[in-house]
Amino acid sequence: MRNLPDWMEHLDDEDLNFIKKFVLASGSLKEVANLYGVTYPTVRLRLDKLIQKINLQKDQSSDSYVSLIKKLALDDKVDFETAKFLITEYKKVKEEV
């Protein structure tokens, strides 16, 4: 059996199911929206969050604090403006040291 790529190992079942439906719908967000019974913008937002989650995996090897803040923002625990502020301030302090 093949090992999953790193970016897939950290996705939950809901994310993998969304990817499967997206691929089976030939990448049609409109069709995926119909499958889920939601609007196109809702599916677009879901896809954008999934893309951010995958990109976050690439950043995991970098600073763990920044990765944590990004993950909190993706999980809606912190809003994006607050996350950007925390990361910016953290980087300023880190540069001073």
Side-chain angles (χ1 to χ4, degrees):
M1 186 172 168
R2 277 175 36 178
N3 291 333
L4 291 175
D6 288 342
W7 65 270
M8 285 184 85
E9 286 181 6
H10 297 89
L11 299 177
D12 57 34
D13 289 340
E14 186 179 321
D15 293 330
L16 294 172
N17 190 39
F18 179 86
I19 292 169
K20 180 180 177 181
K21 286 183 179 187
F22 180 70
V23 170
L24 291 174
S26 299
S28 168
L29 293 179
K30 186 175 181 180
E31 189 173 329
V32 174
N34 288 333
L35 289 171
Y36 280 102
V38 296
T39 64
Y40 176 93
T42 301
V43 172
R44 181 72 239 184
L45 180 63
R46 175 82 168 98
L47 180 60
D48 289 343
K49 282 191 169 197
L50 185 55
I51 290 168
Q52 290 174 335
K53 208 180 229 187
I54 292 169
N55 283 331
L56 178 63
Q57 291 311 120
K58 292 191 294 190
D59 295 342
Q60 287 290 324
S61 61
S62 63
D63 194 295
S64 60
Y65 177 79
V66 173
S67 294
L68 172 64
I69 298 301
K70 287 180 178 180
K71 182 170 178 7
L72 290 172
L74 287 173
D75 293 341
D76 292 325
K77 305 280 188 207
V78 175
D79 64 80
F80 281 103
E81 289 304 313
T82 302
K84 285 197 290 190
F85 174 78
L86 290 171
I87 291 168
T88 301
E89 293 301 311
Y90 171 75
K91 287 181 178 180
K92 284 181 190 174
V93 170
K94 196 171 177 182
E95 286 175 4
E96 292 174 3
V97 175

